[in-house]
Amino acid sequence: GRRYAEARRTLEVGRSLGQHDRTLTLESLGVYGILYQRGNREELLRFALRVLGPILEYDGRRHTALLETLDAYLAERGVLRKTADRLNVHLNTLRGRLQRLHDTAGVDLADARTRLDLQLALEIYRFDPHAARQSGIPAPRGGRTVPGPAAPSPATSPVAS
């Protein structure tokens, strides 16, 4: 019944998060529990493709790494120096990539809701990479492979430079 289905979803989400040795509830999974409570992966993947689509199309046409750049930027909470170090690029290269994200995909990284949508779309991909690839969502190169929030740093703001 319903409880069995919820337990299976909790187990699937926990495994995808690398939580193999803990007792979990759907509620203890935070946002991941909310996202996967309904169990409609196709709907989630459509959301991810809608949000990431323009970036994916640009990367595919130009053989660029804007998705990887976005993933690193969000993982580093918008701290440009850390993002550039993570990507092993010059700070000016990073600024150029972020400007291209804005110009080609309309990504406004100063907008909290936009950042949330982008982060959720990337996390949805990581939850089920096989299904995402079948939907046309490539993996962010060099990004985290297991979903999970980066440790917050109280000294940085999401859009600090």
Side-chain angles (χ1 to χ4, degrees):
R2 186 180 70 74
R3 288 190 176 149
Y4 176 76
E6 182 176 307
R8 283 200 53 84
R9 279 194 299 275
T10 301
L11 181 62
E12 289 173 14
V13 172
R15 283 183 181 159
S16 76
L17 295 172
Q19 305 286 328
H20 300 285
D21 57 349
R22 293 182 49 199
T23 301
L24 300 170
T25 64
L26 208 49
E27 293 81 24
S28 71
L29 295 171
V31 71
Y32 301 102
I34 293 168
L35 283 174
Y36 299 102
Q37 195 164 13
R38 293 178 54 204
N40 190 341
R41 287 185 178 170
E42 293 79 24
E43 182 179 331
L44 292 171
L45 289 170
R46 276 193 303 275
F47 167 79
L49 189 56
R50 186 176 70 247
V51 170
L52 300 175
I55 301 166
L56 297 169
E57 290 172 16
Y58 186 88
D59 275 354
R61 278 193 323 266
R62 303 283 183 129
H63 305 288
T64 56
L66 294 184
L67 188 64
E68 175 188 10
T69 299
L70 174 65
D71 189 45
Y73 178 85
L74 293 171
E76 295 297 344
R77 297 167 310 282
V79 178
L80 295 181
R81 174 93 41 219
K82 286 184 174 185
T83 304
D85 289 347
R86 181 184 189 118
L87 294 170
N88 199 28
V89 299
H90 190 276
L91 202 53
N92 289 337
T93 300
L94 174 61
R95 285 187 179 113
R97 288 182 185 181
L98 295 175
Q99 186 62 48
R100 266 192 307 260
L101 273 168
H102 181 269
D103 294 346
T104 62
V107 173
D108 179 6
L109 292 170
D111 180 69
R113 287 186 179 168
T114 298
R115 288 192 314 273
L116 178 60
D117 283 353
L118 292 164
Q119 186 68 51
L120 286 173
L122 287 165
E123 296 300 330
I124 289 165
Y125 167 77
R126 276 188 274 274
F127 176 74
D128 193 345
H130 176 71
R133 275 192 299 275
Q134 289 179 331
S135 298
I137 303 172
R141 296 182 302 193
R144 293 175 289 134
T145 56
V146 177
S153 171
T156 60
S157 77
V159 291
S161 57

